[in-house]
Amino acid sequence: MNAKNPNKHITELIKSAKQQFHNFSDAETQEVFLTIKEAKTRGLLRKQPPDRCLNQYINAANYLLRTYSTDEFATALTQNIDYLYAYIALVATNSIVTTA
């Protein structure tokens, strides 16, 4: 399988998110990206349970990493906007690889 162009995939995700969640924000997308990028640099992205000392988006990202390739993962992306923001940031930081 070939890796999908992450920028194209991110653009598709954002377009889909705006259709699904009418309150989806480009500014929030950028803020979450910066948070996840910093968390990755500090080693805070792990397949660990929620930690009340961590930001909600870091906890969401860790949940997605923990449930990647499961039905729970897909469900989270369609039901909770926080998980969608975190997923876009994980793709943008190459923490989750998407395939064609």
Side-chain angles (χ1 to χ4, degrees), residues 6-97:
N7 290 334
K8 182 179 179 190
H9 187 64
I10 291 167
T11 302
E12 291 169 3
L13 283 170
I14 291 172
K15 181 180 176 184
S16 174
K18 286 181 178 179
Q19 291 173 347
Q20 182 178 357
F21 297 102
H22 299 291
N23 60 338
F24 190 83
S25 163
D26 291 330
E28 189 73 13
T29 302
Q30 183 63 28
E31 183 63 31
V32 174
F33 167 74
L34 294 173
T35 300
I36 298 300
K37 182 178 175 185
E38 182 69 23
K40 182 177 181 178
T41 302
R42 292 183 184 192
L44 297 173
L45 294 182
R46 296 184 291 276
K47 298 176 183 179
Q48 66 183 27
D51 181 333
R52 73 173 111 181
C53 295
L54 295 177
N55 174 289
Q56 70 188 30
Y57 295 114
I58 297 170
N59 280 324
N62 286 336
Y63 176 81
L64 293 174
L65 291 171
R66 198 170 56 254
T67 62
Y68 191 65
S69 298
T70 68
D71 290 337
E72 290 176 52
F73 177 84
T75 301
L77 293 181
T78 59
Q79 294 182 351
N80 189 320
I81 196 168
D82 291 351
Y83 291 116
L84 194 52
Y85 283 125
Y87 177 66
I88 291 169
L90 288 169
V91 171
T93 60
N94 295 316
S95 300
I96 287 183
V97 178

